[in-house]
């Protein structure tokens, strides 16, 4: 993980949103003998319906050295589009308009691709003192159309009311702390 003082490794980090468990359980069963997930073996119709609004998929764009240079959105769930007010489907992650979020997601996706392991990240953003917004992201390296890709789930917990558009705008630039956990395989939370 990048040498950022706001990123903290936490071996006991667990999701608070059940959707992360649902996706990881499914992907564990879809993984091949080598532990890698091939998109051809994934049946989205078997996903729990609560996953779709928060799903993302990126194709990995490699540079001449074979390292990730960018990620192109292939899927961006409607809850994520609604929250960010931008539909990134078909566009590179490097053009996402909110730098803090873009940099965090870029780092998590790079780590998942480079390590070949799933990663889970929780971001706590404090805005207006006691109002905290929790964003949880799980990213899984997969194969898609013969190339590398990332399948992810991004969930956001709104703070207690009153929640407003003004708060959302403040959040997008708020101070934050990121905690991450590398997993040995999908659904390896224990």
């Amino acid at each position: 993980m990048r040498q950022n003082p706001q990123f903290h490794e936490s071996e006991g980090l667990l999701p608070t949103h059940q959707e992360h468990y649902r996706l990881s359980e499914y992907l564990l069963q879809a993984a091949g003998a080598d532990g890698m997930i091939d998109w051809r073996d994934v049946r989205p119709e078997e996903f729990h319906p609560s996953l779709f609004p928060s799903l993302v998929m990126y194709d990995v764009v490699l540079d001449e050295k074979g390292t990730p240079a960018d990620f192109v959105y292939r899927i961006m769930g409607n809850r994520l589009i609604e929250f960010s007010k931008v539909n990134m489907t078909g566009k590179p992650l490097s053009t996402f308009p909110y730098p803090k979020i873009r940099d965090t997601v870029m780092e998590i996706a790079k780590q998942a691709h480079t390590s070949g392991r799933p990663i889970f990240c929780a971001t706590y953003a404090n805005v207006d003192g006691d109002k905290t917004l929790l964003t949880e992201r799980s990213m899984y390296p997969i194969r898609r159309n013969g190339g590398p890709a990332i399948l992810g789930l991004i969930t956001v917990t709104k703070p207690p009311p009153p929640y407003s558009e003004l708060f959302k705008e403040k959040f997008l630039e708020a101070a934050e702390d990121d905690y991450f956990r590398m997993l040995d395989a999908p659904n390896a939370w224990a």
Side-chain angles (χ1 to χ4, degrees), residues 128-169:
D128 293 339
D130 62 344
K131 294 181 182 175
T132 300
L133 191 135
L134 169 64
T135 305
E136 294 180 325
R137 301 171 182 98
S138 51
M139 301 281 174
Y140 300 87
I142 66 170
R143 284 187 292 261
R144 181 179 172 288
N145 297 331
I150 301 291
L151 181 63
L153 189 73
I154 301 175
T155 55
V156 180
T157 302
K158 294 180 181 178
Y163 178 77
S164 66
E165 289 302 310
L166 178 61
F167 176 83
K168 188 188 295 185
E169 289 173 20

Side-chain angles (χ1 to χ4, degrees), residues 2-22:
R2 68 180 166 169
Q3 297 301 314
N4 180 331
Q6 293 178 350
F7 265 92
H8 313 283
E9 188 162 9
S10 177
E11 289 299 319
L13 187 64
L14 295 171
T16 61
H17 293 93
Q18 289 302 309
E19 288 84 358
H20 292 278
Y21 295 106
R22 288 177 176 139

